[in-house]
Amino acid sequence: MLLVLSEEQKGHLGCLPRVGGAAVGELGRLAVELLRRGAAPRACETAARKLNTGVDTIQHGVEGLMYLLTESSKLMISEIDFQDSIRVLGFSEELNKLLLQLYLDNRKEIRSILTELAPKLPSYHSLEWRLDVQLASRSLRQQIKPAVTMKLHLNQNEDQTAQVLQTDPSTLVHLIQQLEQALGEMKTNHCRRIARNMK
Amino acid sequence: MRFRFCGDLDCPDWVLAEISVLAKISSVKLKLICAQVLRELLGEAIDYEKILKLTSDAKLESGDVKATIAVLDFIFSSAAKHNVDGESLSSELQQLGLPKEHATGLCRSYEEKQSSLQESLRACSLRLSQLDSVSWRVDYTLSSSELRDVGEPLVHLLLRTRDRGGSVAAVPMAVSADKFRVLLSELKQAQALMKTLL
């Protein structure tokens, strides 16, 4: 699979051959930092001053490099495909090798950062429960009505929400049976075969 | 094997593993660590530095120190939850491999604080919201745009409820005299029912 770069991105990356080999390493490090922690305008300014170029050029270069790295890591393209994709930029062999090394070194980390960007459903945090017995109400005295009240705490992207549910014991038993059946599905031959093939 | 302090279930594997770590600490130091963990369960802050000092002799790694606190936390809260007395807890812990001295010391600390532990566990049980305060005011309506001479009393009630997070919600209502009489008699009947249960 080849990576297709737009004209604008080629322009951004065009500053790389001008700054030289060591600086490309520095820009690569900035690009990975940008992925890890977000924008760092001061670091770009210091780099621009060191290399005697405009801040904008450095910023574009870092962003272009970041795009190159994320797209390649996302698609998990092989070394040959990566080299073919950047050959179209017309850089020197040395620069190409540097970029390839940058890609291979940081691929795993970039992929782990990218997995965290996938949308997530609310996940289980904890469950509080309480067993009550209703003895009387305004309309009827001398009752015995057991009820289980539950508070389900959920986590979604650091937001905590809570759902309050109430059920009678027979529904609770049914709920437990359904959940145990669901767990039991993992032990059937069908699921076992799929799990084995995924490993 | 079923254990009462685990609620008549098997003891979790991680508890079994950590009990062997507990045996490495001397029984005197273990009793002091128990006192710290009990303070934390009762709502005060835990003094982690002190626990680190107490476990430094046994040369535990930082992961082991945290595991020790976790296992003591589990033993105490689980035993209080299932209302296990000190004697049974001591014998069950010895069955799991904790040396006799350690078990006796631990259970003595537990027995001292058992009732306060249960009180604090009762207080943090699930509760949807509670009544914070009630304020009221009785007005007398003289007249209105609909009727010239109204002459009726009116009660303004403000109920403040507090939910788990601590935020207070205000529920204001205006009740006419008849409705208020009905409300009051129903609440008195509910109060009489609650008295019979106490």
Side-chain angles (χ1 to χ4, degrees):
Chain A
M1 249 205 91
L2 282 181
L3 208 55
V4 179
L5 297 165
S6 73
E7 284 309 315
E8 193 183 342
Q9 284 153 353
K10 287 189 201 157
H12 288 178
L13 289 169
C15 75
L16 287 180
R18 269 181 283 139
V19 292
V24 170
E26 173 73 16
L27 290 180
R29 200 186 55 82
L30 278 176
V32 179
E33 272 307 302
L34 181 66
L35 275 172
R36 265 188 227 137
R37 258 164 254 173
R42 285 236 233 103
C44 285
E45 279 174 18
T46 6
R49 248 178 291 137
K50 248 197 299 178
L51 298 164
N52 238 341
T53 36
V55 178
D56 283 339
T57 338
I58 297 291
Q59 189 107 357
H60 288 317
V62 171
E63 285 172 8
L65 208 50
M66 185 194 84
Y67 177 79
L68 181 67
L69 288 172
T70 38
E71 282 299 303
S72 342
S73 309
K74 173 167 88 173
L75 300 165
M76 195 71 172
I77 54 182
S78 63
E79 294 177 25
I80 307 177
D81 285 340
F82 185 81
Q83 281 173 327
D84 289 337
S85 315
I86 57 178
R87 196 151 297 156
V88 84
L89 295 164
F91 291 162
S92 64
E93 263 314 301
E94 197 188 311
L95 191 54
N96 283 350
K97 251 194 246 147
L98 254 170
L99 289 174
L100 179 65
Q101 199 54 41
L102 196 63
Y103 165 56
L104 289 174
D105 288 337
N106 291 309
R107 178 163 59 175
K108 205 157 166 206
E109 188 182 352
I110 296 178
R111 276 181 79 82
S112 70
I113 297 175
L114 289 174
T115 44
E116 288 172 27
L117 292 175
K120 276 197 266 220
L121 289 172
S123 64
Y124 172 79
H125 180 75
S126 66
L127 178 72
E128 292 178 79
W129 58 267
R130 186 175 88 185
L131 176 64
D132 292 318
V133 175
Q134 182 173 308
L135 296 170
S137 73
R138 180 169 182 256
S139 357
L140 185 63
R141 308 296 151 85
Q142 315 274 358
Q143 294 176 7
I144 293 195
K145 203 165 107 163
V148 178
T149 315
M150 297 181 277
K151 196 163 177 188
L152 186 61
H153 292 269
L154 300 169
N155 242 344
Q156 183 175 28
N157 299 335
E158 281 109 21
D159 272 330
Q160 294 243 9
T161 52
Q163 264 304 27
V164 180
L165 306 160
Q166 198 175 53
T167 171
D168 55 287
S170 42
T171 316
L172 185 63
V173 168
H174 177 73
L175 186 69
I176 295 174
Q177 276 173 353
Q178 290 293 320
L179 290 172
E180 282 182 347
Q181 263 181 19
L183 275 178
E185 273 298 308
M186 277 300 292
K187 302 206 180 106
T188 58
N189 282 332
H190 183 73
C191 283
R192 280 216 183 104
R193 244 179 284 142
I194 296 183
R196 240 177 295 149
N197 281 330
M198 283 210 275
K199 288 212 193 77
Chain B
M1 269 228 60
R2 291 171 188 277
F3 290 96
R4 268 186 62 198
F5 84 98
C6 299
D8 288 333
L9 293 172
D10 286 331
C11 180
D13 290 332
W14 66 273
V15 174
L16 269 170
E18 291 311 318
I19 286 194
S20 57
V21 175
L22 282 182
K24 280 196 234 161
I25 314 176
S26 77
S27 65
V28 173
K29 299 234 168 79
L30 185 65
K31 196 148 183 223
L32 292 169
I33 299 180
C34 287
Q36 284 292 319
V37 175
L38 279 168
R39 275 186 58 192
E40 190 224 1
L41 281 172
L42 289 170
E44 299 166 31
I46 193 168
D47 195 350
Y48 195 59
E49 295 299 321
K50 216 172 188 177
I51 299 191
L52 275 175
K53 244 185 283 177
L54 289 167
T55 52
S56 58
D57 284 355
K59 303 224 181 8
L60 296 178
E61 305 171 351
S62 75
D64 280 337
V65 177
K66 292 180 190 158
T68 311
I69 301 179
V71 78
L72 285 174
D73 198 290
F74 174 81
I75 293 178
F76 287 137
S77 51
S78 198
K81 191 198 295 192
H82 299 286
N83 207 13
V84 181
D85 61 290
E87 294 289 317
S88 332
L89 183 64
S90 172
S91 70
E92 287 185 346
L93 287 175
Q94 286 179 46
Q95 279 178 39
L96 286 170
L98 193 63
K100 185 157 188 231
E101 276 177 22
H102 296 68
T104 343
L106 207 151
C107 296
R108 204 161 294 144
S109 319
Y110 166 69
E111 269 177 351
E112 284 168 24
K113 294 284 170 83
Q114 184 181 359
S115 43
S116 12
L117 249 180
Q118 285 178 327
E119 270 307 308
S120 82
L121 286 174
R122 184 171 299 139
C124 65
S125 295
L126 174 61
R127 192 161 171 181
L128 292 174
S129 62
Q130 41 191 122
L131 187 61
D132 202 38
S133 65
V134 179
S135 25
W136 57 267
R137 188 179 88 188
V138 176
D139 286 346
Y140 193 79
T141 318
L142 292 170
S143 89
S144 75
S145 55
E146 313 291 312
L147 183 64
R148 197 129 130 223
D149 283 315
V150 177
E152 293 236 330
L154 189 67
V155 178
H156 286 279
L157 276 176
L158 181 64
L159 299 170
R160 283 213 165 81
T161 59
R162 180 197 296 274
D163 73 353
R164 242 336 168 47
S167 50
V168 181
V171 186
M173 56 187 102
V175 195
S176 69
D178 290 332
K179 273 272 193 283
F180 187 68
R181 248 175 248 132
V182 173
L183 178 66
L184 195 59
S185 69
E186 296 286 343
L187 287 176
K188 280 192 177 147
Q189 287 178 27
Q191 187 192 34
L193 264 169
M194 278 175 73
K195 275 217 182 86
T196 63
L197 291 168
L198 275 172

